[in-house]
Amino acid sequence: MLGLMRFRVPPRQAAPWLPDTADYLRWVCMPDSPRPLPELVEGWHPDLREVLDATSATHTTHLSIRVVRPSTRWPSGPVTLLGDAIHATSPSGGNGANTALRDADLLRRKLIDVARGRISLLDAVEDYERQMFDYGAEAVARSLDALPAFLPGRADQPRVSPVRS
């Protein structure tokens, strides 16, 4: 996968603590075997190989794909989770960040209800978790359904860790 990361506002200009990063081309390779990258791209178009050859090794890493599929809800309490902490998705679904933002918005609305005296904190957290648990599990399932398109013919699947109560 290739993607141009073009900043509308340079990161350092947006916030002084962010790195001074220029626009860049991001690439992802999801191989079906643990062979070295030069072997994997043998026979690819020379322009694509040139992109990979020009990549700085210090800006390259190997990552495992992990997902968390919620299995059972736990009793609600004064602490809760959101985003990847509760329903990490594979990148193939393209919805992990959107699901985390949905979590944050729902939790924000529930906490506003608490602040306005409409609901208790425990009830707000329970309602948030109930809704989040359902759509979060759907997001994980969608990401796993999309994964074979990125890993055709791959025998091993990503490790799926159920959340235990």
Side-chain angles (χ1 to χ4, degrees), residues 54-145:
T55 301
S56 163
T58 60
H59 294 99
T60 304
T61 188
H62 294 271
L63 300 173
S64 319
I65 296 175
R66 305 252 193 258
V67 300
V68 176
R69 183 180 295 150
S71 60
T72 335
R73 283 198 45 227
W74 54 90
S76 296
V79 175
T80 192
L81 301 171
L82 59 89
D84 282 354
I86 183 60
H87 46 68
T89 65
S90 80
S92 57
N95 60 11
N98 289 336
T99 305
L101 289 169
R102 183 176 178 183
D103 294 348
D105 180 57
L106 176 59
L107 185 57
R108 174 193 64 85
R109 287 186 282 121
K110 294 299 170 185
L111 293 175
I112 288 171
D113 286 345
V114 171
R116 293 182 176 162
R118 296 181 187 143
I119 191 170
S120 72
L121 178 60
L122 194 56
D123 287 342
V125 170
E126 194 281 329
D127 191 37
Y128 157 74
E129 288 176 348
R130 181 183 48 74
Q131 292 181 56
M132 175 271 299
F133 197 90
D134 290 341
Y135 67 72
E138 289 172 13
V140 170
R142 283 191 308 274
S143 78
L144 290 174
D145 288 346

